[in-house]
Amino acid sequence: MTNVKKKIWNGNVRDAALSILIEINENQAYSNLLLNRTIKKYTIDPKDRGLLTELTYGTLQHRLALDYYLEPFVRGKLDRWVRELLRLSIYQIVFLTKIPPHAVVHEAVEIAKRRGHKRIAPTVNGILRSVLREGVPSIEEIKDDAERISIETSHPKWLIDRWIEQFGKEEALAMAHENNNPATMTARVNSLKLTVEEAILSLQKEGIEASKGQVVMESVQTASGSLANTVAYADGLLTIQDESSMLPVLALNVKPGMKVLDMCAAPGGKTTFIAEKMNDEGEIYAHDLHDHKLKLIKANAERLGISSIQTKSGDSRELTTVYEAASFDRILVDAPCSGLGVIRRKPEIKYNKTEQDLKNLTVIQQQLLETAYQLIKPDGIIVYSTCTVEYEENEGLVKQFLNTHPDLQLADLNSVQSHVPLPIENNMLQVLPQHFGSDGFFVAAFQRKS
């Protein structure tokens, strides 16, 4: 592989996007974290930040389709960074019709000159001009349904095969397409400080048009503007959180004065929601494997004016050595998972995960539930949730856990049902991204049989 030159081209949006794509490809870095870092590193003008986000996420989301479009025009092996540059360019040509194609080619050639040796620029120029001259191949020519959906939506075929088996072809196609749409900006209103209506008025004073959320009564949503940069956020009136992510806390059905354990708590969105639902009265213990992530929980609690949360680090599967058995009223197991419900926020997930990853995760998920089982009071409730859509990690795992713990049953989700415009089947809720433009999420609650 050619050593790509790393001299920063300050202010150049496409070169900045290329840097992000290269790092994701080579180091499996997360796009959302890299975006903020790159904006500062490249001193990207505020008016260009939207384009940087569009180029980065668009190229990532449509990677398989872009490779399909490129295939007829590539002869021989390309350095990985050159392929990323071509993907970035083809994305603009095919999907961003307001950008003149010849301007895209010119910019790509200039980037190639700065980053590579002298033979790279003519190669990039030749490939892209051939694309402009001949056009890209049609995806409709692919006969196999699953393969066509895979390329059309840029999801690996193994994933499409699983979703067709689990949800049927129509739902699989709808979900894959929805994963390529931008997420709605939603936030949770801090009920300790104000009402939803007051929060909406506060945001309007800052020039942000907000409205009530679609599902959770404590939520608001906005079509534009950065909620994280508002005074309302800084003053602790809001927590940026997807509506689906709020549902596990509703399922807990907490009350003031309870003793609650959040086993996988960072960065604290659900933990602080628990505190708000308890009117900040009671004991909430927030655990996370990584000590440095506890700072995020503490910072969020302080910003929101919450004092009932205590944080501790360590492996939550070993909490039976920390707490007495049967000592918690409620336990939330928001388990580590494949994350296949949040692909639109982290599109690189769909390329990095494997079927073996799912199997490995179910072992950890079962171990966390086993620990929760030991720590819950006889009349307590354990809520199990994930941000994935996979049967193996969700309904399949729940059924398996019930089989090995015959004294348990699924609790009703009435506290969730009143919010969600979806059928709750067998006391389990599976939200798909296309249901109400939210993240894919799963929720189930366990309690001991009477």
Side-chain angles (χ1 to χ4, degrees):
M1 177 178 173
T2 302
N3 289 324
V4 55
K5 297 173 187 175
K6 301 210 172 182
K7 185 177 179 181
I8 291 174
W9 192 349
N10 275 336
N12 189 289
V13 177
R14 289 165 182 82
D15 193 64
L18 179 58
S19 290
I20 296 173
L21 294 169
I22 291 170
E23 190 162 348
I24 290 169
N25 191 23
E26 294 185 357
N27 302 321
Q28 294 194 348
Y30 285 124
S31 53
N32 56 335
L33 301 177
L34 284 175
L35 263 170
N36 293 327
R37 194 185 313 160
T38 303
I39 285 170
K40 295 176 182 176
K41 188 176 180 181
Y42 274 74
T43 59
I44 301 298
D45 193 284
K47 66 180 175 60
D48 292 328
R49 291 173 187 175
L51 178 59
L52 176 61
T53 302
E54 170 68 48
L55 293 177
T56 302
Y57 276 89
T59 305
L60 271 175
Q61 285 164 339
H62 297 282
R63 179 190 289 177
L64 299 186
L66 297 172
D67 283 347
Y68 177 80
Y69 294 147
L70 271 172
E71 187 177 2
F73 304 99
V74 175
R75 302 288 181 267
K77 188 177 179 181
L78 291 172
D79 289 338
R80 282 183 289 182
W81 74 269
V82 178
R83 180 169 287 276
E84 288 293 352
L85 176 58
L86 290 169
R87 286 170 176 160
L88 175 64
S89 304
I90 296 294
Y91 172 70
Q92 295 171 79
I93 291 170
V94 175
F95 293 94
L96 301 185
T97 54
K98 291 184 179 179
I99 299 178
H102 292 286
V104 173
V105 176
H106 173 76
E107 189 81 7
V109 171
E110 291 303 308
I111 291 172
K113 288 178 181 177
R114 289 177 67 98
R115 284 181 174 259
H117 56 72
K118 62 182 181 181
R119 295 190 302 275
I120 294 294
T123 299
V124 168
N125 183 60
I127 290 173
L128 292 179
R129 291 198 177 277
S130 294
V131 171
L132 293 185
R133 187 169 56 251
E134 300 175 31
V136 295
S138 172
I139 291 174
E140 295 303 315
E141 296 174 1
I142 302 173
K143 301 301 181 186
D144 181 78
D145 284 347
E147 186 179 353
R148 186 173 61 256
I149 294 172
S150 168
I151 299 300
E152 179 185 332
T153 65
S154 284
H155 286 68
K157 187 175 178 295
W158 70 265
L159 201 51
I160 296 298
D161 287 335
R162 289 177 69 95
W163 290 353
I164 289 175
E165 182 181 354
Q166 292 175 49
F167 307 109
K169 188 165 67 175
E170 286 187 13
E171 286 282 39
L173 179 61
M175 180 156 55
H177 274 298
E178 185 68 25
N179 284 340
N180 291 333
N181 293 330
T184 303
M185 175 66 76
T186 57
R188 189 187 77 241
V189 174
N190 185 353
S191 58
L192 299 174
K193 293 191 174 185
L194 76 172
T195 65
V196 169
E197 290 76 14
E198 289 169 338
I200 290 173
L201 288 174
S202 176
L203 289 170
Q204 285 176 349
K205 290 176 183 177
E206 296 192 58
I208 294 179
E209 290 299 321
S211 59
K212 291 183 178 180
Q214 295 185 62
V215 176
V216 180
M217 65 175 64
E218 291 91 346
S219 68
V220 294
Q221 62 181 25
T222 178
S224 60
S226 175
L227 292 176
N229 294 327
T230 61
V231 175
Y233 178 82
D235 288 346
L237 309 184
L238 304 170
T239 295
I240 296 172
Q241 188 177 17
D242 188 80
E243 284 193 83
S244 286
S245 180
M246 304 176 200
L247 299 178
V249 176
L250 299 183
L252 279 172
N253 197 21
V254 293
K255 302 290 190 296
M258 283 185 169
K259 184 178 180 181
V260 181
L261 173 63
D262 187 350
M263 293 179 69
C264 310
K270 297 178 187 66
T271 319
T272 51
F273 192 19
I274 291 169
E276 290 167 15
K277 297 295 280 186
M278 291 171 58
N279 200 29
D280 202 23
E281 298 171 9
E283 301 173 63
I284 302 169
Y285 295 86
H287 281 257
D288 199 84
L289 181 61
H290 304 288
D291 186 63
H292 69 276
K293 289 187 176 181
L294 296 179
K295 294 177 182 178
L296 298 173
I297 304 174
K298 292 176 183 176
N300 273 321
E302 185 177 343
R303 181 177 59 82
L304 296 166
I306 290 169
S307 59
S308 58
I309 297 171
Q310 299 181 46
T311 59
K312 294 183 181 180
S313 64
D315 191 335
S316 288
R317 292 172 291 183
E318 300 172 0
L319 289 182
T320 51
T321 63
V322 179
Y323 301 107
E324 291 183 7
S327 59
F328 287 95
D329 298 293
R330 300 286 189 270
I331 298 178
L332 175 59
V333 183
D334 186 49
C337 68
S338 59
L340 295 174
V342 294
I343 286 175
R344 67 167 134 214
R345 298 181 191 277
K346 298 175 182 177
E348 61 277 4
I349 286 176
K350 58 186 176 182
Y351 309 119
N352 296 340
K353 296 294 180 184
T354 67
E355 289 188 274
Q356 186 59 46
D357 289 334
L358 308 189
K359 291 180 172 61
N360 295 342
L361 284 163
T362 58
V363 175
I364 297 171
Q365 292 156 356
Q366 289 177 24
Q367 291 169 339
L368 287 166
L369 277 175
E370 183 60 44
T371 299
Y373 173 77
Q374 301 294 328
L375 295 177
I376 197 69
K377 289 180 178 179
D379 60 346
I381 293 175
I382 301 168
V383 168
Y384 173 74
S385 63
T386 71
C387 59
T388 191
V389 297
E390 282 299 313
Y391 176 91
E392 195 169 344
E393 298 176 79
N394 295 340
E395 185 177 345
L397 185 131
V398 166
K399 289 180 176 178
Q400 185 176 348
F401 195 71
L402 288 173
N403 286 338
T404 56
H405 297 78
D407 61 328
L408 290 181
Q409 63 183 0
L410 287 178
D412 66 62
L413 295 177
N414 292 339
S415 55
V416 178
Q417 180 70 81
S418 59
H419 294 262
V420 180
L422 296 172
I424 294 178
E425 299 180 1
N426 302 317
N427 283 333
M428 289 179 277
L429 173 64
Q430 178 68 74
V431 178
L432 302 181
Q434 67 267 31
H435 283 161
F436 45 87
S438 189
D439 291 339
F441 234 90
F442 176 82
V443 183
F446 300 93
Q447 65 181 170
R448 281 188 168 84
K449 293 177 180 177
S450 300

